[in-house]
Amino acid sequence: MIHYTNSVEVSSGDGSIGRSARYRKSASLLLMVIGCIIVYLLPAWLGGSTVVYGLFVTIAILSVMALGVDVVLSYLGEVSLGHTIFWAIGGYAAAIPSTTWDVNGWTTAAAAIALSVLAATMLGLATLRTREFVFSLATYAAAVVVAEITFNTDALGGSDGIVGIPPLHLPFGIADFTGRSSADLWPIAFALLLLSLGFVARFRRSRLGMQALMVQMNAPLATSSGLDAHRVRFLVFVVSAPITALAGWLYAYQRAYVGPDMFDMYFLTMMLTSIILVGTRILLASTIGVTLLLIQQNYLSIGGDGNKVVLGTVLVLMLVLWPKGLVRLIVDAIKPAVRRRQTVELNDGEVSLRKESARSR
Amino acid sequence: MTEILSARSLTVRYGGNTAVHDVDLGIGAGRMVAVAGANGAGKSTLVNALAGWSRGYPVVSGDVLLDGQNISRLPPHQRSRGGLQHVPEGKNVFSELTVEENLALVRLGEDHAGRFLFSRSEVIDLFPRLHERRHHKGSALSGGERQMLAMARALLAGPRILLLDEPSVGLAPRLIGEVLAVVRSLVDRGLPVLVVDQNVRAVLEFADELYLLERGRIVGHGSAASMKNDDRILKAYLGDLAVKGDLQ
Amino acid sequence: MNVAQQAINGLVIGSGYACVALGWTILLGAARLVNFAHGQMYMLAAFICWFILTRSGIGYPLAAAISIVAMALLGVGMQLMMGRLVMTQNLTSLMIVTLGFGYILQGVAGLLFGGAPHTITTELVQQKIQFGDVWFTSQELLIFVVTLILYGVVWLVLQRTRQGAIIRSVAEDPKLAQLFGIDSRSVYIAIFVLEAVLVALAAVLVAPRTPILTSMGFEEVIITFVIVVLGGIGNVGGALIVGMLLGLFTSFFGALVTPAYTTAAIFAVLLAFLIAKPEGLRTR
Ligand SMILES: Nc1ncnc2c1ncn2[C@@H]1O[C@H](COP(=O)(O)OP(=O)(O)OP(=O)(O)O)[C@@H](O)[C@H]1O
Ligand SMILES: [Mg+2]
């Protein structure tokens, strides 16, 4: 019902159209709920083995991880290479308190959020005025340095990391959740994914989301119309951090271990590739991308180094051949001439696609 | 009359917007041809398309012939090397390079047939200011000096034909005549020139013929003398009430 | 602490840094290109050199030369793939593409050379030159001298030759350069090949000092980044000076504080700079 108060009725006067819009809204809501239930039950239907649950939980976790980067990439147009820091913060925030003081999952999650926001604030302030490759390089450098510090600091487990993280324990008042295996963790991972997607969906419609888009489209115009571009960029960056951190938090419980390998290039490449594979400004991009990539790595694996080559090649080829991502590619393939003829002069994206393919050299 | 450069059904689109529509035109040997039209009429788009060049992403169709050879498929740097010298509107010299370096970038191709070769000293004679400022960076030049530098580099490249887009922009009224007189002197030596300029009155003093462009289409063409009496030109550019750069 | 020895070490480290950074400085300054694969190209060049040295009777100079040629070819290939993105100056996509290339190179190197550390053994590393109580190896002297020569040559070429002017013109305005008869696309390829060659040269010179791993390359990118930013983007002279200063900083920080956190300390310097003087980063 929250949905209704939220939605903007296009035709305030005409009740019948308003009603049909409302029907459509409830229908899509219903479809979404059914879709969620199906996805939730999917690992059980697929045999319910440890491997299947493991894959599903990992997909959910890495999707959420990439979602944080997606927010920055899609809404600021900037490439953050520093999100592995937040990812690792989430992991360590789960590991250290739970192994030292045996606190429950809520506490560690709160720590993950707080610490990642703090780190994002610091990094965001330091890189406030930087753009494009300087921003990317600065965030990248920060990640490498934090990795080095983690690696060399005994209090953080040093190069060995931290082992023996207890099972995730989440008291819900009436009932407690305690889980260790992937099958146990699946409800939590799925809930985290839904929550994150919901959060980002809300963010897209929020003032900040709109402002971020304006700043990305035309920074000088946005500034001249009274927007503080620096502030918007900073806030979006800070907002994106806890998303990735919570993914790291759950990842720590799934593996029962954290270590400096959370800074591995693998995660960074995964974040970027999953989004670029599917396309920016698509809510489910990271989920679909991560799913495709993990299926390759799990079922069509050609070894660790071989998978690196695959992942890197996917990234390079997508950007070189179809920079708009798979979704655009498929949409353009399914709706060919008709759509093109109708919208060529109106549809912005279509025109820019044509520009790119038909440039005179 | 042999045409050195000609366009056949040249059409240029930016996205869905057709900026130049089915244009045919030709520039004969030793002729100075002007293109006039309001702001946004498509003049720059037209000359840029002749040079195969643009700062945007236009879609060009139709043919461009240089000395009878179809060059429509050649990239701009090859057209330049072939003697099609274009001085675009706006930024047309390198501001990080000195005058000397700007000029030194240009190299004559191997094939000199049909090309007008200018020695360094001839070019300096035409634009003595450049010699005085040869160690200055492009960014340190005045607008007029930049125009001179841009023309000088085009001449040093051994043009077969010269395309000039707004060569008089930003010049003092007295200088406009001077620059156009220099251009005319080149034409008198045989070099064909296509010039786009807002100062139609001044241009008509020097040019041989004129094309009138309106919303991407050629709506008038004739000798300079006849076009001086053309209604549209009179009304838009030469009449006492003429507003420069009238927006149709 | 032996101050003179630390200073020598610092200059050696610094010339290594500067050497590694040179190609990227040109690439970034002249072509606005960022190359995140820089570190992995360094790694790959070092491994090719090591591989040739250990699997054949070929000597160090020739092995180094082969490695450089191989990297030049790789540079051509990479640039051909990125061609359209480069011409449209799509810097964000380019950056991610090079990141992808870096990841591919890491994977390929892992497949070819495995994960174990190796050392490139050259005779020059074993030759010690002693003056009183300071010493350095012939290899280190070579790094220092070659770096100075390279910087001198690059500076001269960029500032004093027509080829240099062409590179600078394409850097400023690739579209306008076309009207001057310059094929901007080939110039970009040339610049990228230069980057590949210079990073390969740096690798075969500097890598023999330390064990090599297929997972290395990140520090090289960071240090290069710091050098390029602090030295002024595209400023060759600035890069040399900053490289040397960073070397001295590394050496003394390692001796006085701890060697474990040197990269972090260097990065702290950079952050201070980013906060204090962000306008120093404008790319014209
Ligand atoms: N890069 C571009 N991208 C999209 N549209 C463009 C571009 N350049 C020009 N146009 C459009 O093409 C049309 C013709 O522009 P053009 O610059 O050729 O006019 P012009 O006659 O040279 O005008 P002016 O006298 O102001 O120089 C205009 O409607 C303009 O908006
Ligand atoms: Mg114009």
Side-chain angles (χ1 to χ4, degrees):
Chain A
M1 299 314 108
I2 302 159
H3 250 89
Y4 290 155
T5 52
N6 227 350
S7 68
V8 182
E9 293 294 357
V10 187
S11 54
S12 45
D14 194 334
S16 67
I17 297 180
R19 204 171 304 135
S20 82
R22 213 167 289 167
Y23 278 136
R24 222 170 320 149
K25 200 126 214 182
S26 352
S28 64
L29 193 67
L30 189 67
L31 275 178
M32 253 161 62
V33 171
I34 294 174
C36 287
I37 294 173
I38 291 176
V39 173
Y40 179 71
L41 296 175
L42 204 55
W45 291 342
L46 289 175
S49 67
T50 322
V51 177
V52 170
Y53 272 110
L55 176 63
F56 272 74
V57 171
T58 310
I59 288 177
I61 290 176
L62 296 190
S63 304
V64 175
M65 168 191 80
L67 206 53
V69 179
D70 190 17
V71 166
V72 178
L73 188 63
S74 293
Y75 298 95
L76 290 184
E78 297 284 1
V79 186
S80 166
L81 303 178
H83 268 61
T84 46
I85 297 176
F86 311 136
W87 167 245
I89 283 179
Y92 280 89
I96 295 173
S98 67
T99 50
T100 323
W101 301 292
D102 193 27
V103 292
N104 69 33
W106 299 124
T107 316
T108 52
I113 294 173
L115 289 173
S116 63
V117 167
L118 183 70
T121 305
M122 280 162 31
L123 190 55
L125 285 177
T127 57
L128 192 61
R129 310 255 177 88
T130 59
R131 277 286 131 82
E132 293 188 336
F133 71 86
V134 184
F135 174 81
S136 302
L137 271 168
T139 49
Y140 181 70
V144 172
V145 168
V146 175
E148 189 186 271
I149 293 176
T150 313
F151 195 87
N152 287 307
T153 305
D154 290 336
L156 296 173
S159 57
D160 295 337
I162 296 168
V163 291
I165 298 175
L168 175 59
H169 176 63
L170 292 172
F172 278 94
I174 21 170
D176 278 14
F177 169 91
T178 305
R180 141 96 331 136
S181 72
S182 288
D184 293 342
L185 287 176
W186 170 236
I188 301 295
F190 188 65
L192 180 65
L193 177 61
L194 286 187
L195 274 176
S196 311
L197 288 172
F199 180 76
V200 174
R202 275 211 81 105
F203 167 81
R204 286 150 70 107
R205 280 180 278 125
S206 72
R207 258 173 71 91
L208 184 61
M210 303 285 184
Q211 291 176 342
L213 273 187
M214 277 173 71
V215 169
Q216 186 193 346
M217 305 272 187
N218 191 341
L221 182 66
T223 313
S224 67
S225 56
L227 265 185
D228 182 350
H230 289 320
R231 193 178 145 270
V232 171
R233 292 165 51 89
F234 170 75
L235 285 178
V236 172
F237 187 70
V238 171
V239 161
S240 75
I243 305 177
T244 301
L246 282 176
W249 166 82
L250 191 54
Y251 189 65
Y253 285 108
Q254 189 202 13
R255 285 202 311 174
Y257 160 76
V258 294
D261 62 348
M262 285 187 88
F263 293 97
D264 200 288
M265 269 295 275
Y266 169 75
F267 297 109
L268 185 56
T269 320
M270 200 65 188
M271 295 179 198
L272 291 173
T273 312
S274 62
I275 303 161
I276 283 164
L277 180 61
V278 181
T280 51
R281 278 189 230 154
I282 296 168
L283 186 60
L284 288 175
S286 68
T287 315
I288 301 170
V290 165
T291 307
L292 294 175
L293 294 169
L294 280 185
I295 286 175
Q296 182 271 320
Q297 285 160 24
N298 277 273
Y299 293 108
L300 309 164
S301 173
I302 49 172
D305 289 317
N307 289 346
K308 281 185 188 176
V309 177
V310 172
L311 190 55
T313 307
V314 169
L315 184 58
V316 170
L317 285 186
M318 281 312 294
L319 279 169
V320 169
L321 300 177
W322 306 293
K324 306 243 164 201
L326 279 183
V327 166
R328 291 297 304 223
L329 192 72
I330 293 168
V331 166
D332 289 347
I334 298 175
K335 303 181 179 170
V338 191
R339 184 162 168 271
R340 190 153 296 172
R341 213 173 301 132
Q342 284 171 350
T343 57
V344 67
E345 284 171 70
L346 301 171
N347 188 322
D348 207 33
E350 191 78 42
V351 171
S352 66
L353 259 187
R354 276 164 47 87
K355 263 194 255 168
E356 273 180 28
S357 58
R359 275 189 63 201
S360 68
R361 290 218 124 260
Chain B
M1 185 181 64
T2 58
E3 286 178 342
I4 302 297
L5 184 73
S6 54
R8 301 273 168 265
S9 328
L10 198 63
T11 298
V12 186
R13 289 192 194 86
Y14 287 107
N17 166 27
T18 307
V20 168
H21 201 102
D22 203 18
V23 163
D24 286 279
L25 97 181
I27 302 125
R31 302 284 285 177
M32 178 163 169
V33 177
V35 176
N39 288 125
K43 307 180 296 291
S44 300
T45 306
L46 172 61
V47 280
N48 286 344
L50 293 173
W53 186 82
S54 175
R55 289 204 182 268
Y57 302 100
V59 181
V60 182
S61 60
D63 290 324
V64 179
L65 309 175
L66 180 63
D67 266 347
Q69 251 183 327
N70 194 334
I71 58 167
S72 324
R73 307 227 140 254
L74 292 188
H77 68 272
Q78 283 183 17
R79 298 191 201 196
S80 165
R81 288 178 193 173
L84 179 74
Q85 286 304 318
H86 176 33
V87 178
E89 168 182 37
K91 180 176 176 0
N92 50 25
V93 298
F94 291 105
S95 36
E96 298 292 317
L97 271 56
T98 64
V99 168
E100 194 75 55
E101 287 171 335
N102 266 288
L103 294 176
L105 284 180
V106 186
R107 275 293 142 94
L108 264 180
E110 300 292 302
D111 178 18
H112 292 180
R115 304 184 59 160
F116 292 83
L117 306 181
F118 295 85
S119 71
R120 192 59 184 262
S121 57
E122 281 175 286
V123 172
I124 295 296
D125 281 347
L126 287 173
F127 308 106
R129 292 279 302 151
L130 292 182
H131 188 64
E132 292 163 28
R133 318 220 65 187
R134 63 187 179 281
H135 295 307
H136 290 249
K137 279 195 173 180
S139 52
L141 299 183
S142 77
E145 287 166 344
R146 283 178 210 191
Q147 286 295 346
M148 293 178 196
L149 177 55
M151 276 169 67
R153 81 109 235 283
L155 295 181
L156 281 177
R160 269 171 208 234
I161 178 163
L162 194 57
L163 311 180
L164 301 173
D165 194 355
E166 312 272 7
S168 75
V169 80
L171 295 189
R174 193 177 50 83
L175 274 178
I176 296 178
E178 261 176 47
V179 165
L180 289 173
V182 168
V183 173
R184 183 71 228 183
S185 71
L186 301 170
V187 175
D188 290 338
R189 290 161 69 171
L191 176 68
V193 173
L194 179 73
V195 59
V196 171
D197 212 300
Q198 296 288 344
N199 292 285
V200 177
R201 187 194 295 271
V203 165
L204 279 174
E205 296 296 315
F206 294 96
D208 298 304
E209 48 189 293
L210 182 135
Y211 285 89
L212 184 61
L213 206 59
E214 227 170 67
R215 286 176 203 168
R217 290 171 200 270
I218 290 187
V219 294
H221 173 217
S223 70
S226 69
M227 293 304 276
K228 260 182 206 165
N229 301 317
D230 188 289
D231 275 354
R232 291 162 299 196
I233 300 271
L234 272 175
K235 213 170 92 200
Y237 301 102
L238 303 179
D240 286 337
L241 294 172
V243 184
K244 227 183 267 170
D246 170 23
L247 284 167
Q248 301 282 304
Chain C
M1 183 183 68
N2 181 341
V3 175
Q5 183 64 52
Q6 289 305 334
I8 298 265
N9 291 353
L11 288 179
V12 169
I13 297 171
S15 45
Y17 287 170
C19 193
V20 175
L22 181 57
W24 210 26
T25 306
I26 301 169
L27 191 68
L28 192 57
R32 296 285 168 280
L33 290 184
V34 274
N35 179 18
F36 272 99
H38 188 80
Q40 277 74 35
M41 287 164 79
Y42 173 91
M43 174 276 295
L44 192 61
F47 266 93
I48 293 175
C49 183
W50 164 81
F51 187 78
I52 298 171
L53 278 176
T54 48
R55 299 300 150 90
S56 71
I58 295 176
Y60 171 63
L62 192 58
I66 295 174
S67 165
I68 292 170
V69 171
M71 295 310 289
L73 293 177
L74 180 73
V76 176
M78 285 172 67
Q79 187 59 33
L80 283 179
M81 287 196 70
M82 299 189 289
R84 200 182 59 171
L85 295 176
V86 174
M87 281 310 285
T88 51
Q89 290 279 289
N90 187 341
L91 297 183
T92 306
S93 294
L94 273 173
M95 198 164 63
I96 309 180
V97 167
T98 58
L99 206 67
F101 274 128
Y103 202 59
I104 297 175
L105 294 185
Q106 206 185 56
V108 169
L111 287 174
L112 294 178
F113 308 117
H118 296 285
T119 40
I120 302 177
T121 34
T122 76
E123 283 165 25
L124 298 176
V125 176
Q126 272 117 39
Q127 289 172 6
K128 277 191 186 166
I129 302 172
Q130 183 106 24
F131 287 105
D133 58 352
V134 302
W135 64 272
F136 45 88
T137 68
S138 300
Q139 185 78 24
E140 292 171 340
L141 184 63
L142 184 69
I143 296 171
F144 185 73
V145 172
V146 171
T147 302
L148 289 186
I149 293 175
L150 278 179
Y151 268 83
V153 169
V154 165
W155 188 86
L156 279 177
V157 167
L158 276 182
Q159 299 302 325
R160 292 279 180 270
T161 67
R162 178 163 174 268
Q163 278 67 32
I166 288 177
I167 290 180
R168 284 183 291 138
S169 75
V170 171
E172 183 188 325
D173 190 341
K175 291 270 183 174
L176 183 59
Q178 295 180 317
L179 292 182
F180 282 61
I182 295 166
D183 181 2
S184 302
R185 181 102 186 244
S186 334
V187 174
Y188 279 130
I189 294 179
I191 295 173
F192 204 80
V193 170
L194 189 65
E195 140 82 348
V197 165
L198 286 173
V199 76
L201 188 58
V204 297
L205 281 174
V206 179
R209 295 186 66 231
T210 47
I212 55 173
L213 273 167
T214 50
S215 57
M216 72 182 185
F218 301 103
E219 303 228 330
E220 281 71 17
V221 170
I222 300 303
I223 288 175
T224 299
F225 170 49
V226 175
I227 290 177
V228 169
V229 168
L230 297 188
I233 288 169
N235 182 343
V236 173
L240 181 62
I241 294 168
V242 172
M244 291 294 182
L245 289 177
L246 278 185
L248 290 170
F249 179 82
T250 305
S251 167
F252 283 99
F253 186 89
L256 296 171
V257 192
T258 158
Y261 297 116
T262 38
T263 319
I266 288 175
F267 184 63
V269 175
L270 174 79
L271 275 187
F273 183 86
L274 281 176
I275 294 165
K277 209 171 161 290
E279 69 275 17
L281 297 168
R282 292 246 169 83
T283 54
R284 245 184 271 155

